Structure formats: structure tokens, C-alpha cells
């Protein structure tokens, strides 16, 4: 009597089931392959891909472009999605997937001087430097010559011998000779500060989106109560508060553009206002000097704004200490041992502006997506590593 093993009885059924499943999978895979000639019209190909999309992804394929030529690429038995991406890349078209649809749009061609399609952030670094006006003129500094961090200098050695020797001692390895030369702005600022001929007021930084306006202020805001007036100028009892800005105010509008070679640059529109405000009988008065400038800068390049001058008046009391400050009624001693002096200082404000293009939102998103893909690839390649970090 022969006893049959149970596995031998069910083995034919298992093999038959595997063949049926494999055959169905192979048939399904074969049905998703597509072949097209490069001369097939794009409009006709989209209709075919729309059928595939609805059948396998349950999404409608919507063509929003105006392209109507041939697909331009031979497709030979590849997956319909890969074929669609090849055709779109060949014809400079973009694909975006929504919840229930797949959209096809035409790429936007960005020409030289045009704004970049995606929005970038620009870091604006501003340095406010105040220098003695007469010293700047004696050095013969021409701020309009500012290129690559350097300005032209044509110093008078007789009147500025000490300062010029310090300048070239800091920034050069040769002795100073009269005539025109160039000097690094940082070296110039350091030399002016070391001789008490200038100082850095502040160095603020702001981040601005491309095409938007950012504001940097170094000064004070005042709230002034202004009397109300009618349309004819007649004063009435009703008054209102007015916020008055004063000091140095810089408005910058950076816009990222492309040059002729496709490299990013920044079109920088700068408006600088230097003002002083004080109350008066009518409410307040405001004295303002304003500079407007436009500049094309490459990434991390600088520009400079000069020529904003102010006059500072200082009242001093000089003479023998303590005695010079006695009241007038103490035998008039203050007049014998001291005297009053008024000094007028002309100051020039120099503003150094640096523009740095930061990664925009689309670039940061791409980095995040690429990092996520790399993590998934590592997990797929080394599943045993992931198991070690899972809690049991």
C-alpha cells in the first residue's frame, strides 16, 4: 500500500495558482507599455495618455499648453508615465499632479533682464559710517568710483599727511605718493576711525523677498500733536497725533533678474532719506535730504551711497577746570579764567549696502524633498538598520 505525502497532493494547485497570478501581473505590466513614433501629433498622443491616466491612475489628463506639433521622440515599449515625461521634457512642457487631475503647462521662458519666475530672498546688509566732511574732501575720495570694494583717492599730502600715512600703513606695503590711487573701503573706514575722523554708527541686516521693499532706519520716531484745520486752512479745536520719522532711513527694493548668460543678479533700487524733525507753532518742521539710486549687483556684491552731509554745532566752555564753570555772580571769575566757544562740524554719511541672494522657498523645498528621498533609499537598501531603531 502506497501512502501519498500531503504536499504532493496540493503542489500542482500551488504551482497553477502562482502561474495564474504571475500571468495576470505580467499581462497588466505589458498593457501599461506604449510605443509611439516621433511623428505622432502631440494632440493625438495626449488623448492616448489620457486613457492610460484614467484607467490606471483614475485621473484626468488636462493639457493647458498651446503646443500642437509632433511629439518629437520615439517611444518603444516603455511605461506610459515614463513616455509622457519624455515627451514633455522634449517639448519644454511642465507636469503637475493634483488630487483628481494631471495638468500640463508650458514652461515660462525667462529672458535676460527679466525677473526670475521663482521668488528668492535677498539679505541686505547696511553699514552706516559717519566721517568728517573736510577730511573726506582733503583725501579726494570719489564715492562714484566705488568698484569691487575700492574707491579712488587723490589725497593732498600736505594737509592730511598723518592720516594718509596711516591709510597706506594699514592697507598697502608701499609708501604714499601724491596722485590718484584706489583704496579698500574697509581700510579707509578703519583709518578714519583710528584717527577720530569717523565712526561706524550701526550695521543692521534685513531679509527681503524679491520685488518687495525693506526699510532700515537709524534715528528716532516722534509723536507730535498737530492742530486740526479745515479745507480753507482755518485752525479748529480738533487735533490729531502724527508719527514723524527722523534720522537716516533707507528703503531698498531688490529684484532678482537674469543676465545675458543666465546668471542671477540683483536690480537694487535705493532711496535714502536723512532728516531732522522738531516741534514748532504749526505742529512740527522737518528738514530732509534725499538720495535715489539704482544699481545692478551680482550675488554678494556691494554698492555705496555718499554725499549726505549734516552740520553739527557744539557749544563748549574752555578754561581752568571748576573755576571756568562758576556762576557769574561769583566775582565774575568765570570770565577771567574761561571762555565760551562754538564749534561747527560738517559730517558726511556714507552708506555701504551689500546684497546676497539666499535660497528661495522652491530651492529649500527641493533640498528637503531630495533629503527625504535619500533617507528612503537608505531605508530600502539597508532594512536591517531601520529595525535596530524601532521600539520592540
Amino acid at each position: 500500500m502506497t501512502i501519498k505525502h500531503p504536499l504532493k497532493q496540493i503542489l500542482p494547485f500551488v504551482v497553477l495558482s502562482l502561474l495564474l497570478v504571475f500571468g495576470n501581473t505580467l499581462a497588466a505590466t505589458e498593457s501599461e507599455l506604449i510605443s509611439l513614433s516621433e511623428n505622432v501629433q502631440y494632440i493625438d498622443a495626449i488623448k492616448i495618455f489620457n486613457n492610460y491616466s484614467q484607467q490606471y491612475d483614475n485621473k484626468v489628463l488636462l493639457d493647458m499648453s498651446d503646443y500642437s506639433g509632433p511629439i518629437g521622440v520615439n517611444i518603444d515599449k516603455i511605461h506610459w508615465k515614463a513616455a509622457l515625461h519624455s515627451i514633455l521634457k522634449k517639448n519644454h512642457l511642465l507636469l503637475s499632479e493634483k488630487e483628481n487631475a494631471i495638468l500640463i503647462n508650458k514652461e515660462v521662458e525667462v529672458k535676460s533682464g527679466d525677473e526670475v519666475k521663482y521668488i528668492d530672498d535677498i539679505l541686505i546688509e547696511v553699514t552706516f559710517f559717519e566721517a568728517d566732511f573736510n577730511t573726506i574732501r582733503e583725501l579726494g575720495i570719489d564715492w562714484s568710483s566705488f568698484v569691487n570694494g575700492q574707491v579712488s583717492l587723490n589725497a593732498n599730502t600736505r594737509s592730511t599727511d598723518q592720516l594718509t600715512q596711516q591709510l597706506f600703513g594699514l592697507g598697502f606695503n608701499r609708501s604714499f605718493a601724491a596722485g590718484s590711487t584706489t583704496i579698500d573701503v574697509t581700510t579707509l573706514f578703519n583709518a578714519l576711525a583710528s584717527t577720530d575722523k569717523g565712526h561706524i554708527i550701526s550695521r543692521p541686516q534685513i531679509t527681503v523677498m524679491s520685488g518687495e521693499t525693506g526699510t532700515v532706519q537709524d534715528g528716532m520716531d516722534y509723536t507730535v500733536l498737530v492742530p486740526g484745520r479745515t479745507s480753507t486752512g482755518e485752525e479748529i479745536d480738533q487735533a490729531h497725533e502724527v508719527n514723524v520719522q527722523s534720522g537716516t532711513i533707507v528703503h531698498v527694493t531688490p529684484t532678482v533678474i537674469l543676465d545675458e548668460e543666465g546668471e542671477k543678479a540683483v536690480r537694487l533700487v535705493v532711496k535714502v532719506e536723512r532728516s531732522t524733525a522738531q516741534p514748532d507753532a504749526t505742529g512740527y518742521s522737518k528738514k530732509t535730504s534725499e538720495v535715489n539710486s539704482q544699481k545692478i549687483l551680482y550675488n554678494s556684491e556691494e554698492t555705496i551711497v555718499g554725499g549726505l552731509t549734516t552740520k553739527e554745532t557744539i557749544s563748549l566752555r574752555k578754561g581752568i577746570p571748576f573755576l571756568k564753570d562758576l556762576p557769574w555772580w561769583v566775582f565774575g571769575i568765570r570770565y577771567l579764567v574761561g571762555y565760551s566757544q562754538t564749534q561747527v562740524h560738517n559730517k558726511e554719511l556714507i552708506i555701504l549696502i551689500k546684497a546676497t541672494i539666499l535660497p528661495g522657498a522652491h530651492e529649500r523645498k527641493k533640498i528637503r524633498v531630495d533629503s527625504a528621498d535619500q533617507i528612503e533609499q537608505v531605508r530600502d537598501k539597508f532594512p536591517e538598520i531601520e529595525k535596530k531603531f524601532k521600539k520592540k
Side-chain angles (χ1 to χ4, degrees):
M1 182 176 178
T2 304
I3 300 175
K4 294 184 178 179
H5 197 278
L7 289 177
K8 292 183 178 181
Q9 293 179 351
I10 63 172
L11 185 59
F13 297 99
V14 174
V15 174
L16 180 60
S17 300
L18 291 174
L19 289 175
L20 290 174
V21 171
F22 180 76
N24 291 334
T25 304
L26 184 61
T29 304
E30 288 288 341
S31 63
E32 294 183 54
L33 302 182
I34 186 173
S35 298
L36 293 172
S37 170
E38 62 179 352
N39 297 321
V40 174
Q41 292 298 307
Y42 171 77
I43 297 176
D44 297 331
I46 288 299
K47 294 178 181 178
I48 298 173
F49 285 113
N50 182 41
N51 294 333
Y52 278 97
S53 179
Q54 293 188 46
Q55 180 179 353
Y56 296 105
D57 283 0
N58 198 26
K59 292 183 179 181
V60 179
L61 184 63
L62 299 176
D63 179 33
M64 312 297 289
S65 69
D66 56 357
Y67 182 68
S68 59
I71 61 174
V73 58
N74 282 316
I75 305 297
D76 185 20
K77 291 184 180 181
I78 62 175
H79 194 274
W80 66 273
K81 276 192 175 181
L84 178 60
H85 282 283
S86 298
I87 294 172
L88 297 183
K89 183 178 180 181
K90 175 68 177 179
N91 296 286
H92 305 289
L93 301 174
L94 296 175
L95 181 144
S96 59
E97 291 198 28
K98 306 298 181 182
E99 185 177 355
N100 298 315
I102 299 176
L103 304 180
I104 298 175
N105 290 281
K106 190 174 183 180
E107 284 185 352
V108 178
E109 183 181 358
V110 183
K111 299 179 180 179
S112 173
D114 290 347
E115 296 182 15
V116 178
K117 177 183 177 183
Y118 300 107
I119 297 177
D120 289 283
D121 293 330
I122 299 97
L123 174 64
I124 302 296
E125 301 173 80
V126 183
T127 300
F128 294 101
F129 189 89
E130 189 174 58
D132 180 71
F133 177 79
N134 294 328
T135 303
I136 295 296
R137 289 296 167 267
E138 289 173 359
L139 289 172
I141 297 173
D142 181 12
W143 299 118
S144 63
S145 65
F146 180 79
V147 177
N148 295 329
Q150 296 190 333
V151 293
S152 295
L153 181 146
N154 191 2
N156 182 347
T157 54
R158 293 180 181 178
S159 59
T160 58
D161 182 69
Q162 179 184 359
L163 179 59
T164 51
Q165 292 296 336
Q166 288 196 21
L167 284 175
F168 287 91
L170 287 170
F172 298 89
N173 294 321
R174 60 181 178 82
S175 59
F176 175 76
S180 179
T181 185
T182 59
I183 186 171
D184 182 76
V185 169
T186 302
T187 302
L188 175 62
F189 286 174
N190 290 337
L192 290 170
S194 65
T195 55
D196 294 328
K197 298 297 183 180
H199 65 281
I200 293 176
I201 300 174
S202 61
R203 284 177 169 170
Q205 299 180 358
I206 57 171
T207 301
V208 187
M209 284 196 307
S210 176
E212 300 296 328
T213 300
T215 302
V216 175
Q217 179 181 359
D218 182 76
M220 298 181 63
D221 288 353
Y222 298 92
T223 301
V224 181
L225 192 64
V226 178
R229 296 183 182 275
T230 63
S231 58
T232 58
E234 182 181 354
E235 186 174 335
I236 58 178
D237 293 335
Q238 295 180 353
H240 60 282
E241 292 183 348
V242 176
N243 186 41
V244 182
Q245 290 184 319
S246 65
T248 304
I249 306 169
V250 180
H251 303 281
V252 288
T253 306
T255 303
V256 179
I257 62 174
L258 296 180
D259 65 5
E260 296 178 353
E261 298 179 355
E263 184 177 353
K264 286 184 179 181
V266 178
R267 181 171 59 229
L268 192 67
V269 179
V270 182
K271 178 183 177 182
V272 181
E273 173 187 312
R274 196 173 197 189
S275 59
T276 55
Q278 59 184 8
D280 60 13
T282 61
Y284 70 94
S285 61
K286 186 176 181 180
K287 183 179 179 181
T288 303
S289 57
E290 189 175 294
V291 174
N292 294 283
S293 175
Q294 293 190 30
K295 193 81 173 181
I296 301 293
L297 303 176
Y298 284 99
N299 190 24
S300 299
E301 200 174 9
E302 297 172 318
T303 186
I304 204 164
V305 178
L308 292 168
T309 59
T310 56
K311 184 179 291 186
E312 181 181 4
T313 303
I314 302 175
S315 297
L316 301 173
R317 182 73 184 164
K318 295 187 175 182
I320 300 176
F322 178 71
L323 296 178
K324 65 181 176 63
D325 297 319
L326 289 173
W328 62 269
W329 44 265
V330 182
F331 309 111
I333 295 177
R334 64 179 280 121
Y335 301 111
L336 299 175
V337 298
Y339 62 95
S340 298
Q341 185 181 53
T342 300
Q343 293 182 354
V344 178
H345 297 280
N346 292 319
K347 302 288 186 179
E348 180 173 358
L349 180 67
I350 302 102
I351 303 174
L352 186 66
I353 303 175
K354 181 179 180 180
T356 304
I357 302 175
L358 302 176
H362 66 289
E363 294 179 0
R364 297 196 299 270
K365 179 181 177 182
K366 184 177 183 300
I367 293 172
R368 188 174 68 251
V369 171
D370 291 345
S371 299
D373 290 342
Q374 291 177 2
I375 293 172
E376 289 298 327
Q377 290 175 8
V378 172
R379 285 177 174 175
D380 294 340
K381 189 174 182 179
F382 305 102
E384 66 278 2
I385 296 178
E386 186 178 5
K387 292 179 182 179
K388 293 181 180 180
F389 292 95
K390 289 185 177 179
K391 294 182 179 180
K392 296 182 179 180

